[in-house]
């Protein structure tokens, strides 16, 4: 069953079309990477899912229930971490989580255990100061804790790692991975290594549309998994290779043969030795998200 | 309803910790003491100045201070305190909307009406407690030094001031439902006040305008009776109610 | 004159206590915080002290105190 289904949603701000038919679905217990450039419409999509933004068309189903503007879909279903979470600086983490829990209607004894559990998960259990003194990373961690307080079926994180240093990023990714046990996670980002590290499904957003969506395995299957990258000594030789292997392309003085089979590799090596072309390096490379991303955005 | 209670607790915690409550209460208490003090000191001031006046050929007859002077100070100073209160609370909604502190709470199923009403409740609470404190202190001292019985309709006049404050607070609620910043809210609230004053100058409608109920001195002196104010009292109460009621759907549609 | 002063005491004592505690607290608050919405520490100390006893502290808390 899918915890979230987004179908063909559209949104324009004035004459600018931000979303032009975004569709994807998130299965249960999966970490879903929502990838797109800055300004691609990631935040807009997320706000639409949360009912904080009126869409111009399309349908959003959360936990099997239609989401509408102005009403949060079935309370307790979604937890949200905004891109720059803002809290009440005059409270401490414990008080803030208590406020959040009370709003979602949790009983006081359940809330008490849940708060200490979450504070330990996000590593703020020893923090007694008020939130106004928190660093960016601490706010982000508190943000995850507040989003998970009522055990939502879906956790939506808007660029949780983008503004953090490497240590902070690792912490957040670890917390999100741990959260997978309890909930599905959608997180938007433009940092591809983060996606490769923890996501099992991804969607690419480009030009207001979902350019691609599926699991990481599907992507690898579609893309074929290897490319050959050849660096030669004499730049002049590159044209001879290109004409012999029309599937390849030249990039930055290197010759790249995408989706190369074992035979392609042997052919290329045979060609090189037959033509006596000196090479500096020949490498088999796994197709990574970056290749796909570049292809999707057309660069 | 559950959300309202939780949020009201949060709002009270907020005004205590950001010191707004303490400052406002200090002002209410100070003004409460100042009213009789100024009245009490007036003859002393005249005495000090009388020599200067005498040089200029003006003779000052001895001034007799009564409770009336203390209460006219009350009427003079309460607007100032109300303005301070309005300035302090002008951003109570808009800062939350623009900073996004409400988003985590709204996505947990908190209704926007609870947000509007809990903040309204805390403002009304502060205003009610404050004006009571101020009134009681002035009342106590005026009775201590003079005699309050020379001033008529004290309680009704104080009620009118309270109601006028409620009306101004409902203006804040109304303008906050669509304004972008506390300054805009302040300007809107100010505009309401000035347009009322203007209409009152040129029109027979004066009797029904909320500003009418701030004319306490006429009540004190017995020139007017409470029944002359009933029209304005009802209009003020209705307007306040309508302002708050209208702000609910507008806030609901607001982009947060 | 002495009799006169006695007559004013019930007013003056609470007034002075209230004003000085407000002023004292304001100065404490200014010294304890490093950041203000606008202006700097010296400015706000001057405003609080010479601002006619209680108007100065009010101005500081409305316009100077940092939002949390």
């Amino acid at each position: 069953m899918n915890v979230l289904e987004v179908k063909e949603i559209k949104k324009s701000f004035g004459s600018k079309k931000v979303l032009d038919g975004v569709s994807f679905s998130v299965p249960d217990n999966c970490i879903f990477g929502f990838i797109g450039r800055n300004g691609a419409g990631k935040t807009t999509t997320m706000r639409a899912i949360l009912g904080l933004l009126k869409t111009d068309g399309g349908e959003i189903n959360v936990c099997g229930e239609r989401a509408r503007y102005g009403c949060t879909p079935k309370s307790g279903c979604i937890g949200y971490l905004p891109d720059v979470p803002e809290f009440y600086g005059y409270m401490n983490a414990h008080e803030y989580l208590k406020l959040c829990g009370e709003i979602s209607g949790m009983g006081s004894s359940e809330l008490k255990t849940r708060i200490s559990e979450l504070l330990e998960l996000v590593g703020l259990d020893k923090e007694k100061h008020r939130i106004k003194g928190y660093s960016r990373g601490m706010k982000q961690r508190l943000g995850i804790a507040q989003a998970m307080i009522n055990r939502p079926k879906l956790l939506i994180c808007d660029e949780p790692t983008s503004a953090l240093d490497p240590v902070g990023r690792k912490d957040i990714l670890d917390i999100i991975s741990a959260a997978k046990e309890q909930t599905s996670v959608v997180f938007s980002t433009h940092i591809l290594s983060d996606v490769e590290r923890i996501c099992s499904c991804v969607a690419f957003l480009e030009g207001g549309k979902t350019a691609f969506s599926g699991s990481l395995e599907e992507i690898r299957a579609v893309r074929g998994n290897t490319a050959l990258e050849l660096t030669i000594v004499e730049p002049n030789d590159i044209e001879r290779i290109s004409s012999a292997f029309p599937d390849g392309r030249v990039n930055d003085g290197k010759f790249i043969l995408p989706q190369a089979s074992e035979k392609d590799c042997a052919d290329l090596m045979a060609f090189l030795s037959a033509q006596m072309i000196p090479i500096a390096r020949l490498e088999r490379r796994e197709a990574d998200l970056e290749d796909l991303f570049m292809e999707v955005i057309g660069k | 309803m559950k959300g309202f209670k939780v949020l009201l607790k949060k709002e009270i915690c907020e005004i205590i910790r950001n010191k707004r409550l303490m400052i406002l209460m200090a002002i209410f208490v100070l003004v409460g003491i100042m009213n009789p003090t100024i009245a009490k000191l007036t003859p002393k001031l005249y005495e000090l100045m009388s020599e200067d006046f005498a040089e200029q050929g003006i003779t000052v007859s001895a001034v007799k201070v009564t409770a009336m002077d203390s209460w006219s100070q009350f009427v003079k100073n309460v607007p100032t305190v109300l303005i301070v209160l309005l300035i302090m609370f002008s951003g109570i909604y808009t800062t939350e909307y623009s900073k996004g502190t409400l988003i985590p709470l709204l996505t947990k199923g908190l209704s926007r009406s609870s947000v509007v009403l809990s903040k309204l409740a805390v403002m009304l609470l502060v205003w009610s407690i404050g004006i009571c404190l101020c009134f009681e202190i002035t009342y106590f001292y005026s009775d201590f030094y003079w005699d309050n019985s020379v001033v008529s309709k004290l309680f009704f006049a104080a009620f009118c001031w309270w109601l006028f404050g409620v009306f101004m607070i409902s203006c804040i609620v109304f303008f906050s439902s669509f304004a972008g910043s506390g300054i805009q809210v302040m300007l809107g609230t100010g505009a309401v006040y000035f347009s009322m004053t203007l209409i009152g100058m040129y029109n027979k409608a004066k009797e029904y305008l909320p500003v009418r109920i701030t004319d306490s001195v006429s009540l004190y002196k017995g020139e007017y009776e409470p029944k002359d104010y009933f029209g304005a009292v009802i209009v003020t109460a209705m307007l306040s109610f309508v302002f708050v009621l209208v702000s609910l759907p507008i806030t609901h549609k607001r982009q947060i | 004159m002495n009799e006169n002063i006695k007559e004013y005491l019930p007013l003056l004592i609470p007034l002075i206590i209230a004003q000085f505690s407000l002023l004292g607290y304001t100065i404490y608050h200014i010294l304890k915080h490093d950041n203000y919405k606008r202006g700097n520490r010296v400015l706000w100390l001057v405003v609080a002290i010479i601002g006619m006893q209680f108007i100065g502290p009010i101005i500081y808390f409305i316009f100077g105190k940092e939002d949390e």
Side-chain angles (χ1 to χ4, degrees), chain A:
Chain A
M1 195 201 135
N2 292 332
V3 68
L4 171 69
E5 280 170 0
V6 176
K7 288 175 198 154
E8 290 294 318
I9 57 166
K10 293 184 171 69
K11 174 75 189 172
S12 321
F13 292 113
S15 60
K16 192 169 178 276
K17 262 193 181 168
V18 180
L19 303 180
D20 187 21
V22 174
S23 311
F24 60 91
S25 54
V26 180
D28 279 337
N29 286 58
C30 140
I31 299 185
F32 189 91
F34 195 43
I35 307 162
R37 282 191 280 181
N38 288 331
K42 300 188 292 284
T43 303
T44 312
T45 310
M46 295 188 153
R47 293 175 66 94
I49 295 169
L50 289 156
L52 293 170
L53 188 90
K54 202 176 180 118
T55 53
D56 302 335
E59 195 184 323
I60 299 166
N61 288 310
V62 183
C63 311
E65 194 176 299
R66 182 93 185 257
R68 278 197 314 274
Y69 171 63
C71 356
T72 320
K74 209 197 283 176
S75 68
C77 195
I78 301 191
Y80 177 51
L81 169 66
D83 48 355
V84 185
E86 284 291 345
F87 309 111
Y88 300 112
Y90 52 85
M91 289 183 174
N92 63 34
H94 192 278
E95 287 165 332
Y96 187 77
L97 291 179
K98 188 155 174 271
L99 170 71
C100 290
E102 282 174 351
I103 279 173
S104 27
M106 296 169 77
S108 60
S109 57
E110 184 198 0
L111 190 54
K112 212 173 167 187
T113 48
R114 184 67 179 154
I115 289 174
S116 45
E117 197 178 297
L118 280 173
L119 284 177
E120 204 183 306
L121 174 73
V122 300
L124 288 174
D125 46 340
K126 303 227 165 36
E127 193 57 51
K128 294 276 172 273
H129 291 105
R130 292 191 179 165
I131 300 171
K132 68 171 173 175
Y134 277 21
S135 69
R136 207 59 192 270
M138 287 162 83
K139 278 188 182 169
Q140 211 70 254
R141 280 185 275 160
L142 178 59
I144 292 182
Q146 63 82 19
M148 289 175 63
I149 187 99
N150 52 348
R151 305 177 198 275
K153 294 204 188 71
L154 178 63
L155 179 64
I156 297 186
C157 306
D158 194 355
E159 308 233 346
T161 55
S162 302
L164 303 179
D165 63 37
V167 181
R169 265 175 58 194
K170 187 181 176 303
D171 287 348
I172 297 291
L173 291 178
D174 289 347
I175 294 169
I176 291 178
S177 301
K180 190 190 167 189
E181 304 299 316
Q182 306 169 18
T183 165
S184 285
V185 186
V186 174
F187 90 101
S188 75
T189 184
H190 53 251
I191 302 168
L192 296 163
S193 59
D194 291 354
V195 175
E196 283 179 318
R197 206 137 108 194
I198 63 170
C199 290
S200 47
C201 303
V202 293
F204 288 99
L205 192 63
E206 177 62 27
K209 289 186 169 66
T210 26
F212 182 88
S213 95
S215 68
L216 274 187
E217 291 78 38
E218 274 168 28
I219 288 179
R220 294 214 170 91
V222 169
R223 294 285 303 145
N225 53 3
T226 51
L228 287 174
E229 189 178 296
L230 174 66
T231 316
I232 51 179
V233 178
E234 281 290 323
N236 301 334
D237 295 332
I238 212 155
E239 278 173 28
R240 276 156 63 200
I241 307 172
S242 300
S243 53
F245 294 88
D247 286 345
R249 58 192 157 92
V250 180
N251 186 358
D252 203 12
K254 290 174 186 163
F255 179 77
I256 294 165
L257 190 60
Q259 294 179 54
S261 63
E262 304 287 320
K263 186 174 173 298
D264 288 335
C265 183
D267 285 350
L268 181 62
M269 287 194 285
F271 176 77
L272 293 175
S273 64
Q275 298 284 316
M276 303 281 279
I277 298 172
I279 66 167
R281 214 156 87 106
L282 176 63
E283 188 186 12
R284 284 178 69 137
R285 197 156 61 91
E286 288 267 308
D288 59 12
L289 275 176
E290 202 174 331
D291 291 333
L292 184 59
F293 186 58
M294 289 303 169
E295 188 171 300
V296 160
I297 66 173
K299 284 200 171 162

